[in-house]
Amino acid sequence: MSYSAPNDSGSLYPDAPAAMRVTNLSFSYGTRLVLEGVTMPITQKHVTAIIGPSGCGKSTFIKSLNRIGELETQVQVKGKVEFFGQDIYSPKVNINRLRRQIGMVFQKPNPFTMSIYDNVAYGVRVSGSLPKRALDEVVESALVGAALWDEVKDYLSKSALGLSGGQQQRLCIARALAIKPKVLLMDEPCSALDPIATRKIEELIHSLRSELTIAIVTHNMQQAARISDYTAFFSTDESQIGQMVEFGTTTQIFKEAIDTRTQDYVEGRFG
Amino acid sequence: MQTTSETNLSLAEDLQADLPIKRQLFSYGMTAIALLLTALALLPLFSILFSIVQQGLPQLSWQTFTTLPSPTGSVGEPDGFGNAIIGTAVMVGMASLISIPVGIMTAIFLAEFSQGSAIAGFVRFVVTILSGVPSIVVGVFAYGVIVLATKEFSALAGSFALAVVMLPIVVLSTESALLLVPTAQKLASAGLGASRFQTTFRVVLASALPGIMTGILLAIARAAGETAPLIFTALFSTSWFDNLLSPTSSLSVLIYNYISLKVLLKNIIWLGQRLWCCSV
Amino acid sequence: MSDSSELKIDITTPDGAELDRGFTGLVKGFALCTVFLLFWMTWVILGAAIPAIQTFGLGFFLSQDWDVGALIFGALPYGYGTLMTSIIALVIGVPIAIAVALVTSETFLPIWVRSPLAALVELIAAIPSVIIGLWGFFVLIPFIDPVQLWIFKVLGWIPLFGTEPTVGQGSIFVAGVILAIMILPTIATISRDVLIAIPTELRSASRALGSTHWETLFRVVLPTAAPGILGAITLGLGRAMGETMAVTLVIGNSPQFTVSLLNLGATIPSVLANQFAEALDTLHIGALMYLALALFGLTLLVNIAAVMIVKTLEQR
């Protein structure tokens, strides 16, 4: 594992502190080790991209950051994931409160089978009730934030399933934004979308960056190069266990990577 | 950095706080209720199995399978239900002979020859509806077709009713077994020049056979346990199976009759008590 | 050109074309036989019911006298019994079935407990109904009798519970309880399949927004599964209405009409089971056929509704 740039006091963004800091993280599903020894920061109010060939554990990694991976199976975690200095795997942490702070957008758009309005209001309603007017405001600002408001403002009570794939994905972003998370995790958010919808999501990520810390998994290298400030390259070793190969500013990773595997990957020689 | 450590402290408090008591109660309460209701659902099953084993096992002997029921009131004579076993076997066997070929053919039509046509949709719809017809109504149908025509309760009428009960089960389970055969196999067979008839018999039926057998066994089990279609078609008999056109005993009807007798007895006792009370 | 003529390749009449056509016709014929069966059934039952339909008309269902000797027949007690036992079955059975579906599809229990549990619940459906009736008569009735007495003491002022239960003979209420047990596997198994088919992404999305497992179930999973569960309940209702033996053995088989659920009663299937074998008079047989026709029609409607619900679900 090699570092092309110092973590926080990197030459490009000297003042940016880390919103999350991962130290020597290993992750197993049951007894099967899938990810080993990851150390990297997620820098505040920047976009961090995680790239790598399929099966390298990048999706597992991002799911470990809001502890959503443990929904499906028994998992074992070693190492440390800190969120503003709080160890998120500490037994004292309430998992539901944690997930409200760290939002997530998934691979396939997954709106609930309810109206557009109810989708966005969902997170707020779960944690308690707001007066109608306040809720309206939350929904509107979330939809505006996700660049969807103009398209749906007249159809808020229509089913979310009637939206196009790209609109659905932006709705899911709005749904995550509505509870004002500090970090937004995105797990290949454009993999099910066409180029035009992908473009819109990328523009959206760009505009959210000034307010929000974003970590995004992508298999599309051009996308990582376009939208991210930092990039982590993940790969598998001989025993098929995922690991982080290299972390640095996006420019460094794409232009002057130290590890040959990173160079090979970004130049399209494998993966 | 003062401000950061303060936000960190409040963040720590937020992350480590418990959920509101209402939400916690909802979580734990619902889990408890769901588990409790599930346990409740299984209670009858265990009670049924327990009662059958506890009451039935001591009575069990070879003789019960090979002898006739003893006349009411007799003591010391061998008591069994051999005739009911044979009656059930004969009627289920007859019903299988009719329903299995017809059912498999219908399923082959649905799965292999219909190519999603409207007529196949209709056939499937009718079969689904047929599977939902109460078995007592099937009994009424068999009564209307055979008993009213022959003026005789008979094993034939019972078999007919059981065949109608079995048919939709055979069709639906066979069709789903046939649909599990990968299209690639059918295409491979057709690609080698086999006709549809050959493909169906040599490839599809052969590889779906285990699934079809399971479906047939289910249908047979269901028919063997049916009572409602038999009580007024095959009726009952205390002697050995004789011929297809006379009343025939079956296990399920035997059970029903025994309890009915007991109910009748209880009714008489109860009525007697009432009369006695009134006269006093 | 010369090559093909020498090789004599003929692709116009493949081997077995006649066989294929004949076989296609054969399976189609069998399929149509199956369809014909449903119409034949309708025809036979309708035909035999005609004497009663002509004599009693639709008033049959509102009249409460059933006197075989005087050849006066009215279906109200049986219609009422069928309706009430089915309602009781749904009221008791549906919540339990949904709980079972959730417990066997969600992660409250480890998988090695969940799967056998689901199999056990399905096993209930495999027990012949006469066996359940046998158990109902010897085990369930003595167990429920004190409960019924208690209901009568506490709620006896309500007409629905306004008669003293007959100890040891069952009642409409007991029949409803036994039907609840019998429709439980149907509803639970289908609902479980529906729940399992709901994409995990929806659960993940809800959990990622900080909701708990049960909040996710109630706000996202169950609403999404609602049409499928409704279909399952409708199928269960169809089973409840037509179930015969278990009900016959625990309902007491009384043709007297009373509103009280604690009283002995009868359902359409139970009266068919009790009287058909002894029916001799054409009008008596006709009245029973009329009852069977009504039951047939009702279950047909309920089952068609269930199929429709499932179909719209598949299209979505």
Side-chain angles (χ1 to χ4, degrees):
Chain A
M1 195 191 312
S2 47
Y3 277 90
S4 348
N7 298 342
D8 288 353
S9 48
S11 50
L12 229 64
Y13 309 98
D15 302 326
M20 301 189 81
R21 191 184 297 281
V22 182
T23 316
N24 206 15
L25 177 77
S26 297
F27 199 93
S28 321
Y29 283 120
T31 54
R32 195 168 55 92
L33 186 63
V34 286
L35 198 61
E36 197 173 30
V38 180
T39 301
M40 65 179 277
I42 311 267
T43 309
Q44 247 184 70
K45 299 192 178 169
H46 283 91
V47 178
T48 304
I50 295 132
I51 60 169
S54 49
C56 68
K58 55 189 195 295
S59 187
T60 302
F61 172 69
I62 203 160
K63 283 183 181 151
S64 74
L65 297 182
N66 67 342
R67 297 183 61 181
I68 201 85
E70 56 204 80
L71 268 190
E72 284 146 43
T73 38
Q74 291 280 320
V75 300
Q76 267 195 320
V77 179
K78 285 198 194 106
K80 214 171 181 186
V81 179
E82 282 166 300
F83 172 60
F84 290 102
Q86 304 295 314
D87 180 2
I88 67 167
Y89 282 96
S90 148
K92 283 190 215 148
V93 165
N94 183 300
I95 200 166
N96 301 301
R97 288 187 183 277
L98 173 78
R99 289 182 186 143
R100 297 182 71 78
Q101 301 281 355
I102 307 176
M104 186 164 212
V105 176
F106 296 81
Q107 210 163 351
K108 260 175 33 198
N110 54 359
F112 302 133
T113 29
M114 39 177 103
S115 72
I116 294 170
Y117 184 98
D118 290 343
N119 260 283
V120 182
Y122 181 85
V124 179
R125 283 179 174 154
V126 162
S127 65
S129 54
L130 272 184
K132 175 89 173 86
R133 172 137 348 136
L135 193 59
D136 286 351
E137 270 167 31
V138 169
V139 170
E140 178 173 346
S141 72
L143 284 168
V144 169
L148 192 61
W149 175 252
D150 290 333
E151 291 161 63
V152 301
K153 63 181 176 212
D154 300 326
Y155 312 101
L156 290 179
S157 57
K158 289 263 160 56
S159 166
L161 300 180
L163 296 174
S164 73
Q167 288 175 320
Q168 287 189 359
Q169 194 62 300
R170 277 180 283 147
L171 178 70
C172 294
I173 295 175
R175 188 173 62 188
L177 294 179
I179 49 172
K180 305 204 167 52
K182 292 197 167 55
V183 175
L184 186 63
L185 308 174
M186 304 177 106
D187 184 6
E188 303 201 23
C190 303
S191 63
L193 304 182
D194 63 70
I196 294 168
T198 301
R199 170 103 211 173
K200 280 197 177 145
I201 303 268
E202 286 181 10
E203 281 165 8
L204 175 60
I205 292 172
H206 210 76
S207 70
L208 288 171
R209 178 164 63 162
S210 57
E211 300 290 320
L212 197 62
T213 307
I214 296 175
I216 178 170
V217 166
T218 176
H219 60 256
N220 179 339
M221 277 179 293
Q222 283 72 34
Q223 184 171 62
R226 278 195 300 266
I227 60 173
S228 69
D229 306 303
Y230 294 95
T231 298
F233 172 63
F234 279 51
S235 188
T236 48
D237 61 6
E238 305 77 37
S239 48
Q240 298 302 308
I241 296 166
Q243 52 179 239
M244 195 189 77
V245 177
E246 191 165 354
F247 175 84
T249 64
T250 300
T251 330
Q252 283 166 339
I253 294 288
F254 279 88
K255 295 255 165 68
E256 47 203 69
I258 294 170
D259 198 292
T260 50
R261 286 173 293 174
T262 316
Q263 288 166 9
D264 287 350
Y265 185 75
V266 297
E267 283 160 29
R269 280 199 282 269
F270 87 101
Chain B
M1 281 295 105
Q2 183 73 42
T3 50
T4 349
S5 63
E6 262 173 30
T7 53
N8 281 3
L9 266 180
S10 67
L11 182 70
E13 268 172 27
D14 179 68
L15 288 184
Q16 296 181 6
D18 287 328
L19 289 179
I21 196 82
K22 226 173 97 184
R23 291 178 69 187
Q24 282 190 53
L25 268 181
F26 182 66
S27 273
Y28 293 118
M30 284 312 297
T31 307
I33 291 173
L35 291 176
L36 208 73
L37 288 182
T38 305
L40 191 66
L42 291 175
L43 207 62
L45 178 71
F46 289 125
S47 174
I48 290 168
L49 295 179
F50 176 77
S51 339
I52 290 175
V53 172
Q54 190 207 24
Q55 306 278 327
L57 221 48
Q59 309 287 324
L60 211 61
S61 70
W62 182 242
Q63 226 173 32
T64 51
F65 294 114
T66 55
T67 53
L68 290 174
S70 63
T72 327
S74 67
V75 183
E77 281 187 52
D79 190 10
F81 43 78
N83 61 335
I85 292 177
I86 290 180
T88 294
V90 167
M91 285 189 286
V92 172
M94 289 267 298
S96 302
L97 280 183
I98 309 167
S99 64
I100 291 173
V102 177
I104 289 181
M105 288 300 202
T106 304
I108 289 177
F109 171 74
L110 287 179
E112 304 297 322
F113 286 80
S114 63
Q115 282 139 345
S117 63
I119 181 164
F122 181 67
V123 172
R124 193 175 294 112
F125 176 75
V126 168
V127 173
T128 313
I129 296 301
L130 207 56
S131 74
V133 173
S135 57
I136 185 95
V137 173
V138 174
V140 172
F141 170 52
Y143 178 92
V145 172
I146 296 178
V147 178
L148 282 185
T150 60
K151 309 264 179 241
E152 181 73 87
F153 298 104
S154 64
L156 185 70
S159 309
F160 179 75
L162 291 183
V164 177
V165 169
M166 288 175 72
L167 182 62
I169 306 176
V170 175
V171 175
L172 294 176
S173 59
T174 305
E175 194 205 354
S176 51
L178 292 177
L179 289 178
L180 283 180
V181 178
T183 319
Q185 282 191 23
K186 298 173 200 169
L187 290 180
S189 167
L192 292 169
S195 68
R196 276 166 78 182
F197 175 76
Q198 289 166 322
T199 303
T200 303
F201 271 86
R202 297 188 177 203
V203 177
V204 180
L205 278 183
S207 88
L209 198 63
I212 297 176
M213 289 310 292
T214 313
I216 288 176
L217 285 178
L218 271 179
I220 289 178
R222 166 86 192 274
E226 278 291 355
T227 316
L230 297 179
I231 28 181
F232 44 82
T233 52
L235 205 68
F236 190 65
S237 148
T238 48
S239 49
W240 293 101
F241 172 72
D242 182 20
N243 67 68
L244 284 175
L245 289 175
S246 56
T248 302
S249 175
S250 62
L251 281 169
S252 50
V253 176
L254 180 80
I255 296 172
Y256 172 65
N257 283 357
Y258 276 3
I259 315 172
S260 296
L261 260 176
K262 232 180 148 109
V263 176
L264 201 70
L265 214 67
K266 267 196 177 175
N267 268 328
I268 293 167
I269 294 168
W270 182 75
L271 237 139
Q273 281 172 343
R274 277 289 158 102
L275 281 175
W276 184 75
C277 284
C278 288
S279 63
V280 167
Chain C
M1 287 300 265
S2 59
D3 279 355
S4 62
S5 62
E6 271 169 40
L7 279 170
K8 288 190 181 145
I9 293 175
D10 184 5
I11 55 169
T12 51
T13 54
D15 296 335
E18 271 87 51
L19 187 66
D20 244 23
R21 219 169 298 135
F23 186 61
T24 309
L26 187 73
V27 289
K28 199 168 186 174
F30 275 111
L32 293 178
C33 279
T34 308
V35 170
F36 168 71
L37 198 59
L38 189 72
F39 293 99
W40 190 18
M41 201 182 279
T42 316
W43 179 250
V44 165
I45 298 175
L46 183 69
I50 277 177
I53 297 175
Q54 280 168 344
T55 316
F56 304 111
L58 282 174
F60 181 66
F61 297 104
L62 294 174
S63 154
Q64 42 171 295
D65 297 314
W66 184 276
D67 189 332
V68 179
L71 290 180
I72 296 171
F73 301 104
L76 187 64
Y78 313 121
Y80 181 77
T82 304
L83 182 74
M84 286 330 242
T85 49
S86 303
I87 291 176
I88 297 170
L90 289 184
V91 168
I92 299 174
V94 168
I96 301 180
I98 292 179
V100 169
L102 285 173
V103 168
T104 50
S105 66
E106 294 293 325
T107 52
F108 300 112
L109 299 170
I111 186 87
W112 57 269
V113 181
R114 258 183 282 154
S115 310
L117 215 58
L120 278 177
V121 172
E122 279 188 58
L123 192 63
I124 301 176
I127 305 174
S129 73
V130 73
I131 303 280
I132 294 190
L134 179 78
W135 170 82
F137 184 75
F138 288 108
V139 181
L140 187 66
I141 291 182
F143 178 77
I144 289 192
D145 272 338
V147 180
Q148 293 205 101
L149 280 169
W150 180 82
I151 294 176
F152 172 66
K153 265 186 203 142
V154 178
L155 297 171
W157 50 275
I158 303 173
L160 266 185
F161 309 108
T163 56
E164 195 175 347
T166 318
V167 171
Q169 311 247 348
S171 67
I172 296 179
F173 178 71
V174 180
V177 172
I178 215 151
L179 281 180
I181 296 169
M182 300 188 70
I183 62 172
L184 192 139
T186 312
I187 303 178
T189 307
I190 302 176
S191 302
R192 174 171 183 261
D193 293 345
V194 174
L195 287 171
I196 287 177
I198 290 188
T200 27
E201 290 99 38
L202 286 186
R203 298 158 197 267
S204 308
S206 171
R207 298 301 294 274
L209 290 165
S211 49
T212 62
H213 197 162
W214 276 105
E215 284 161 355
T216 302
L217 289 180
F218 268 83
R219 286 168 182 266
V220 176
V221 176
L222 285 176
T224 311
I229 294 178
L230 191 69
I233 294 173
T234 315
L235 276 178
L237 174 66
R239 274 210 67 183
M241 291 194 315
E243 177 49 50
T244 310
M245 301 323 296
V247 169
T248 307
L249 290 167
V250 299
I251 201 168
N253 300 305
S254 153
Q256 300 292 310
F257 175 74
T258 48
V259 174
S260 170
L261 302 179
L262 302 180
N263 209 8
L264 307 181
T267 63
I268 297 176
S270 82
V271 73
L272 295 178
N274 270 313
Q275 300 197 353
F276 237 116
E278 287 132 36
L280 296 170
D281 191 274
T282 320
L283 197 58
H284 187 195
I285 293 175
L288 292 171
M289 286 287 186
Y290 197 2
L291 279 176
L293 187 68
L295 179 68
F296 184 40
L298 275 177
T299 49
L300 222 57
L301 282 181
V302 169
N303 283 311
I304 289 174
V307 172
M308 292 301 177
I309 291 169
V310 173
K311 262 215 179 108
T312 50
L313 187 76
E314 274 169 3
Q315 275 162 6
R316 222 178 45 192

